[in-house]
Amino acid sequence: MQLVEYGAPLRLVELPVPEIGRHDALVRIKACGVCHTDLHLQEGSILRGRPPITLGHEMAGEVAEIGEEADWLKQGMRVLVNYHYNCGRCHNCRVGLEDECTELTSGGFDVDGGYAEYAKAPAKNLLPLPDEVSYEEASVLACGGGTVYHAMKANPISLGETVVIYGFGGLGTIALQVARLAGATTLVIDISDEKLAQAQKLGADHVLNASKLDVVKEAKALTRGEGPSKVFDLVSAAVTLETSLQMLHKHGRLIVIGALNKPFQVNPLHLLSNRLQIHGQGGCPSYELKELIKLVKEGKIRSIISRSYPLEEANQALEDLRRGLILGRAVLKP
Amino acid sequence: MQLVEYGAPLRLVELPVPEIGRHDALVRIKACGVCHTDLHLQEGSILRGRPPITLGHEMAGEVAEIGEEADWLKQGMRVLVNYHYNCGRCHNCRVGLEDECTELTSGGFDVDGGYAEYAKAPAKNLLPLPDEVSYEEASVLACGGGTVYHAMKANPISLGETVVIYGFGGLGTIALQVARLAGATTLVIDISDEKLAQAQKLGADHVLNASKLDVVKEAKALTRGEGPSKVFDLVSAAVTLETSLQMLHKHGRLIVIGALNKPFQVNPLHLLSNRLQIHGQGGCPSYELKELIKLVKEGKIRSIISRSYPLEEANQALEDLRRGLILGRAVLKP
Amino acid sequence: MQLVEYGAPLRLVELPVPEIGRHDALVRIKACGVCHTDLHLQEGSILRGRPPITLGHEMAGEVAEIGEEADWLKQGMRVLVNYHYNCGRCHNCRVGLEDECTELTSGGFDVDGGYAEYAKAPAKNLLPLPDEVSYEEASVLACGGGTVYHAMKANPISLGETVVIYGFGGLGTIALQVARLAGATTLVIDISDEKLAQAQKLGADHVLNASKLDVVKEAKALTRGEGPSKVFDLVSAAVTLETSLQMLHKHGRLIVIGALNKPFQVNPLHLLSNRLQIHGQGGCPSYELKELIKLVKEGKIRSIISRSYPLEEANQALEDLRRGLILGRAVLKP
Amino acid sequence: MQLVEYGAPLRLVELPVPEIGRHDALVRIKACGVCHTDLHLQEGSILRGRPPITLGHEMAGEVAEIGEEADWLKQGMRVLVNYHYNCGRCHNCRVGLEDECTELTSGGFDVDGGYAEYAKAPAKNLLPLPDEVSYEEASVLACGGGTVYHAMKANPISLGETVVIYGFGGLGTIALQVARLAGATTLVIDISDEKLAQAQKLGADHVLNASKLDVVKEAKALTRGEGPSKVFDLVSAAVTLETSLQMLHKHGRLIVIGALNKPFQVNPLHLLSNRLQIHGQGGCPSYELKELIKLVKEGKIRSIISRSYPLEEANQALEDLRRGLILGRAVLKP
């Protein structure tokens, strides 16, 4: 299913199986998650690889062909693809910050991705999947799961700390589980009562509806007047970010995860008087994706898949996502 | 020398020697630094304690009277006053973040300060001065020196790292010395060639004039295209902060020190794509002021005092500061 | 119940209610935990305050009298006593390391403790108890609970990390709960099958009996040949410590908690080839004890009290503890 | 110059130029440092690759041949070889701990090294040398320089901190310079007055002769009774390690660098009462070697080469080293 023109539906195209290089592998796609970013790419509001390009960056499948330098792989191996194809050579790759590679190429963004029967990927980006984790569950870890998991590893949660999860969509369901697993007291903020009810079911300690309440005041009240020490903002609208800076405790940290391209305002005096920190966070290195897969295998975290579509119904899946009909995540199955 | 009315000159007033409490001490002021903030307080653009109030928060002197619970002090002891009178009881005080005390009172801001012959201060806020450090040198460490020293301890400089010091006024002269002492490669940015020449004399590795050059481009060129990994912004105007965010390396950190009350803009997508961090920084805990005093004693850092005035010429000192006639720092001597 | 002579039973003595100073409070003891260290103190194998002295350092009760400088306390307030009476003035106290105070005095060790109807303590060492936490539960947090909680905060557990808890006595039951709360995969090692069964009931992921198995080999097998990344040694015998160093992953950390006075051996070449770390850990600052109390209140951690004794049966409680008849913790109630 | 038999002199052998693989490069050796470890390898007290093997792990030279996958290299490029040939695939390599690679192979230890005209090495292990750094100076950074530099980056020195450098041989001269560059107050301990005089010339703040003084007492006296906060032990004999543990401040850290294969004793109670830490440290990742090369280029650190020998006099160089005739480092030049 290729994007051939911005703004137009994806088109079903018959293509030759990709040829792989010495360091690559070919993956027979079994499931590919459908992400909000795919909508942006289709619409052309995020410009990356030039059409025609195959979208899909949440890829899980089995190894179909193996490059000469990738002899540790085995035919038929079940794998998740880390679509952040880092160079492995730059300074950041060498110091363990592979998600901050200065030469990053992304599958489904810059090169062909997983809305297809086969995808080519660097062998080092394939992560073994245990039998206990289905392809559907695995696929959505690649982007949605990994992003929040990495954000919470890079900004570690201390036992008993109160953290805010601002926005309870697909990423929010994982964020809440990870925060709870790390021993946090959790406060979920959203503008939908339905989503907040879901958050409570998943164990949120507190929920607040930002369309009905003064969330700064309420968040302070829930923390003896101090405010939470971390806010994970999965929305990143100016209003959520600016509200978050008001609610934080002295020495608190705002973690910016939602990928919005519109500025927000910060007052330097407020920032320094309260010793606040703002951290931009994204991506997930392979070694943390492996941990996340292990946690899903052990049943400590679970992916929430609301619906599967056959590959040729990709446009339907995107349309349903655009209309807000997907709770959790949609997955394509070739 | 009291501030009796916003906007008016300070007035010389004869007042009784302050009475001290059980946990306090009385300090005979020997030198008191004149800070830019004193101008803001005089003008009323920062509103803290109500006039009439004695300004002056960079106080050095000798112990004249000792409260009953402060028996470790001795009459005549040479001391620097840490004017951040923290409560010692709140959570932040208990975890070692005394400069982030939630009940902070500041000498020369909220209660009477050091433009006087005597000042009262909590005994725990008096730091012994070795004979090698003069009262003049010591006084300006309390605010100017301490703020940048703490900012560089809280955001530690790694050997060989390239750091930017944005703005080369009084704080800049200390910041450059501290960064060099920590083994940084230093890049100083200002808009005055005269100040940049001074920076070079003090050992800056590179200097850039922001009024003449594209500093983002130049800073990248000086760091193999990557950009510096930390910017200490001592100005905190929107233009310096936004420029700093453009120049930083992936994973870089902007430290906001200048106390400006005007907002700047941040783009969430830029922040997260580059994993940038913004940290508001201010104050200095007593245990770090002690370290700084030791470094001055050892000659590793030096205070730059450009001129001393008798106490009764406080208005003249403030006026000279306002007109930009002070290089380094002015000091009042009662 | 006073220790009047090393090696002899405690003696019931009628004493006047202690007089308190300006910064102190008097606590009417409601429960006082009986710790292994009390046996060492009684036997004289640990020498601290000179007899006659009242033992008991895990004190919970209600405020009976309040010093003049402690006006934030209220008559009848339910409190836990942090028996580490830190000075509040030394460098370590100022930087937030109050449990590492260089002038530390300990209640029940150096000065009279809680095997009594009343105990005097510095007001700043009293921590409010919510109604949901009983005096019995609270008391054992002061030493047993706090020590492992602090050890796990100072050596933070990363999500999904495999940690070993070596020794499953009173501290082990808390350590397991804290490690699980922080999202660790837990491996408990002991030499008693009964205790290991208890560990499994409390949710240990793996258990190993060190008297029957080669625990180094087994621990490696459970972690894909790598070994665990942290071992919390609650025993600290030479054999447990040396075994722990063998089992750790490269870059792993051994945390020494058990307070044994007998040396163990370390090979420098093994240490540096594997980049191992050894950390001595003990005590608990008040701000972390507060967090722990909150976690008990929320039901996330629970104290395991096996038996209560009236105060006058202190010798019986000590005797039962010596004979290994106490599972969890014994508590005295005046 | 090959080691053909343990205990025997190296033998001059004519060998074919090594054939390189796709990921390798061939280096024409210009200088190769002579390390104490080479003595151990020759004597057979450290057993690694089987003879016949070419020793020499401190290799600098120019690129003579380039593997097909190493196209970023250029013929004739001046390079330093990082002899820690890490796999680049294991968990530790991926998280930035390449010096702790679980599949490490070392040039001059496990495979042929640099006592030769040519050596083969993985292309990724070649680090570009600026013209300002000579081959002789560069070579000794590979092991001697890198080990202490990495140890001080992994255990960062805080401004104004007092650190001990225990043992002032070849590594000591670099360690002292790095510690000074990081702003430490330095205390050098050795048993040779001659070496201590050299340390003073290089700027050591304090020196102590351990054969004449009670260094624990003296070190405490130099630090207001507290003791230093870090000891870098470059000797790692039982006596230096145990003395170091006695001298450290509460919360202090002993960094074990000297590669000795004999155990030392640690008392758990002393460790936990003083919250001490012991860290084994070794190796140096390429990204830190690059920093070190830059510091040498800028003249902030300098290698101390005492003497050069032609390659065929390798046995003479080893003999001189064995007899203690080398101050700083000896270098072979083919």
Side-chain angles (χ1 to χ4, degrees), chain A residues 149 152-153 157-162 178-186 205 224 290-291 294-295 298 300, chain C residues 149 152-153 157-162 178 180-186 205 224 290-291 294-295 298 300:
Chain A
Y149 186 72
M152 286 180 167
K153 293 284 282 195
I157 290 168
S158 186
L159 272 177
E161 186 181 10
T162 297
V178 177
R180 277 172 48 81
L181 192 59
T185 297
T186 50
D205 293 286
R224 291 153 305 166
K290 281 185 197 169
E291 293 173 14
K294 183 163 169 283
L295 292 170
E298 294 170 0
K300 293 176 178 170
Chain C
Y149 186 72
M152 286 179 167
K153 293 283 282 194
I157 290 167
S158 186
L159 272 178
E161 187 181 9
T162 298
V178 176
R180 277 171 48 81
L181 192 60
T185 297
T186 49
D205 293 286
R224 291 154 306 166
K290 281 185 198 170
E291 293 173 14
K294 183 162 170 281
L295 292 170
E298 294 170 0
K300 292 176 178 172

Side-chain angles (χ1 to χ4, degrees), chain C residues 16-79:
Chain C
V17 171
E19 279 180 35
I20 64 170
R22 300 175 61 87
H23 298 271
D24 295 329
L26 187 72
V27 177
R28 187 190 316 269
I29 301 295
K30 293 290 191 174
C32 187
V34 179
C35 179
H36 259 100
T37 320
D38 294 334
L39 294 178
H40 298 312
L41 289 164
Q42 188 196 0
E43 293 157 0
S45 61
I46 295 183
L47 296 174
R48 295 286 287 267
R50 286 257 186 101
I53 190 166
T54 306
L55 298 186
H57 53 275
E58 298 190 331
M59 303 173 257
E62 62 182 39
V63 173
E65 208 177 318
I66 299 167
E68 295 164 53
E69 308 251 358
D71 49 13
W72 69 93
L73 291 175
K74 290 201 175 58
Q75 282 281 353
M77 224 170 144
R78 307 176 76 245
V79 292

Side-chain angles (χ1 to χ4, degrees), chain B residues 64-93:
Chain B
E65 208 177 318
I66 299 166
E68 294 165 53
E69 307 251 357
D71 49 14
W72 70 93
L73 290 174
K74 290 201 174 57
Q75 281 281 354
M77 224 169 144
R78 307 177 76 243
V79 293
L80 175 65
V81 180
N82 182 356
Y83 71 102
H84 300 290
Y85 303 156
N86 67 308
C87 74
R89 284 184 196 165
C90 72
H91 178 77
N92 282 354
C93 280

Side-chain angles (χ1 to χ4, degrees), chain D residues 292-332:
Chain D
L292 183 54
I293 292 169
K294 183 162 168 283
L295 292 171
V296 172
K297 176 191 158 193
E298 295 170 0
K300 292 178 178 170
I301 301 279
R302 60 196 178 90
S303 298
I304 292 166
I305 311 297
S306 65
R307 196 166 157 196
S308 290
Y309 299 78
L311 174 58
E312 48 278 16
E313 290 178 20
N315 285 312
Q316 186 61 46
L318 287 166
E319 192 54 31
D320 289 352
L321 180 61
R322 187 177 286 116
R323 290 190 187 167
L325 302 179
I326 308 294
L327 280 173
R329 208 63 149 176
V331 165
L332 296 183

Side-chain angles (χ1 to χ4, degrees), chain B:
Chain B
M1 294 300 294
Q2 276 206 324
L3 172 66
V4 286
E5 194 184 342
Y6 290 130
L10 305 187
R11 193 178 302 167
L12 188 63
V13 185
E14 198 69 27
L15 291 171
V17 170
E19 278 181 37
I20 63 170
R22 300 177 60 87
H23 296 272
D24 295 330
L26 187 72
V27 177
R28 186 189 319 267
I29 300 297
K30 293 289 191 174
C32 187
V34 179
C35 180
H36 259 99
T37 320
D38 294 334
L39 294 178
H40 299 312
L41 289 164
Q42 189 196 0
E43 293 157 0
S45 62
I46 296 183
L47 298 173
R48 295 287 285 270
R50 286 257 185 102
I53 190 165
T54 305
L55 298 187
H57 53 277
E58 298 190 332
M59 303 173 256
E62 63 182 39
V63 173
E65 208 177 318
I66 299 166
E68 294 165 53
E69 307 251 357
D71 49 14
W72 70 93
L73 290 174
K74 290 201 174 57
Q75 281 281 354
M77 224 169 144
R78 307 177 76 243
V79 293
L80 175 65
V81 180
N82 182 356
Y83 71 102
H84 300 290
Y85 303 156
N86 67 308
C87 74
R89 284 184 196 165
C90 72
H91 178 77
N92 282 354
C93 280
R94 297 293 283 267
V95 302
L97 301 170
E98 62 176 58
D99 63 299
E100 305 181 27
C101 168
T102 49
E103 308 289 334
L104 204 63
T105 303
S106 299
F109 284 78
D110 306 307
V111 296
D112 284 339
Y115 287 7
E117 286 174 89
Y118 290 94
K120 179 177 85 167
K124 74 172 176 20
N125 284 57
L126 303 196
L127 311 176
L129 280 181
D131 292 338
E132 294 87 340
V133 182
S134 74
Y135 290 117
E136 290 87 340
E137 285 173 306
S139 64
V140 304
L141 301 178
C143 170
T147 301
V148 295
Y149 186 73
H150 178 51
M152 286 181 167
K153 294 284 283 195
N155 299 278
I157 290 168
S158 187
L159 271 178
E161 187 182 8
T162 297
V163 306
V164 170
I165 293 160
Y166 213 129
F168 199 71
L171 271 67
T173 59
I174 305 271
L176 175 57
Q177 295 178 73
V178 177
R180 277 171 48 81
L181 192 60
T185 297
T186 49
L187 164 55
V188 174
I189 305 180
D190 203 296
I191 50 170
S192 146
D193 281 334
E194 191 190 345
K195 286 184 175 173
L196 292 174
Q198 209 188 354
Q200 277 180 313
K201 259 192 230 160
L202 270 169
D205 293 286
H206 311 286
V207 299
L208 291 175
N209 188 322
S211 67
K212 302 180 181 173
L213 295 163
D214 177 342
V215 291
V216 173
K217 202 176 130 194
E218 299 293 328
K220 296 238 174 225
L222 288 168
T223 50
R224 290 154 307 166
E226 292 182 342
S229 45
K230 290 203 184 80
V231 177
F232 292 89
D233 192 325
L234 306 173
V235 181
S236 296
V239 62
T240 63
L241 292 164
E242 288 164 21
T243 305
S244 296
L245 286 174
Q246 292 307 317
M247 115 186 11
L248 279 168
H249 187 34
K250 268 205 168 188
H251 207 66
R253 192 181 294 184
L254 167 60
I255 298 101
V256 181
I257 299 173
L260 227 73
N261 204 355
K262 291 178 192 162
F264 67 109
Q265 292 205 325
V266 182
N267 183 307
L269 188 61
H270 178 70
L271 210 61
L272 70 90
S273 301
N274 294 286
R275 316 286 192 268
L276 299 179
Q277 303 182 358
I278 306 174
H279 288 217
Q281 212 63 54
C284 187
S286 290
Y287 56 87
E288 288 181 358
L289 268 182
K290 281 185 199 170
E291 292 173 15
L292 182 55
I293 291 169
K294 184 163 168 282
L295 291 170
V296 172
K297 176 190 158 191
E298 294 170 359
K300 292 176 177 171
I301 302 279
R302 62 195 178 91
S303 297
I304 292 164
I305 311 297
S306 64
R307 197 166 155 195
S308 290
Y309 299 77
L311 175 58
E312 49 277 17
E313 292 178 18
N315 286 311
Q316 185 62 46
L318 287 167
E319 191 54 32
D320 289 351
L321 181 62
R322 188 176 285 117
R323 291 189 185 167
L325 303 178
I326 308 293
L327 281 174
R329 206 64 148 177
V331 165
L332 296 183
K333 302 189 67 174

Side-chain angles (χ1 to χ4, degrees), chain A residues 57-191:
Chain A
H57 53 275
E58 299 190 332
M59 303 173 257
E62 64 182 38
V63 173
E65 209 177 315
I66 298 167
E68 294 164 53
E69 308 251 358
D71 49 13
W72 69 94
L73 291 174
K74 290 202 175 56
Q75 282 281 353
M77 224 169 142
R78 308 177 75 245
V79 293
L80 174 65
V81 181
N82 181 356
Y83 72 102
H84 299 290
Y85 303 155
N86 67 310
C87 74
R89 284 184 197 164
C90 71
H91 177 78
N92 282 354
C93 280
R94 297 292 283 270
V95 303
L97 301 169
E98 63 176 61
D99 62 298
E100 305 181 28
C101 168
T102 49
E103 308 288 333
L104 205 64
T105 302
S106 299
F109 284 78
D110 306 305
V111 297
D112 284 339
Y115 287 9
E117 286 174 272
Y118 290 93
K120 179 177 85 168
K124 73 173 177 18
N125 284 58
L126 304 195
L127 311 176
L129 280 181
D131 292 339
E132 294 87 342
V133 181
S134 75
Y135 290 117
E136 290 87 339
E137 285 173 307
S139 65
V140 305
L141 301 178
C143 171
T147 301
V148 294
Y149 186 72
H150 177 51
M152 286 180 167
K153 293 284 282 195
N155 300 278
I157 290 168
S158 186
L159 272 177
E161 186 181 10
T162 297
V163 306
V164 170
I165 293 161
Y166 212 129
F168 200 72
L171 271 66
T173 59
I174 306 272
L176 175 58
Q177 294 178 73
V178 177
R180 277 172 48 81
L181 192 59
T185 297
T186 50
L187 164 55
V188 175
I189 305 180
D190 203 294
I191 51 171

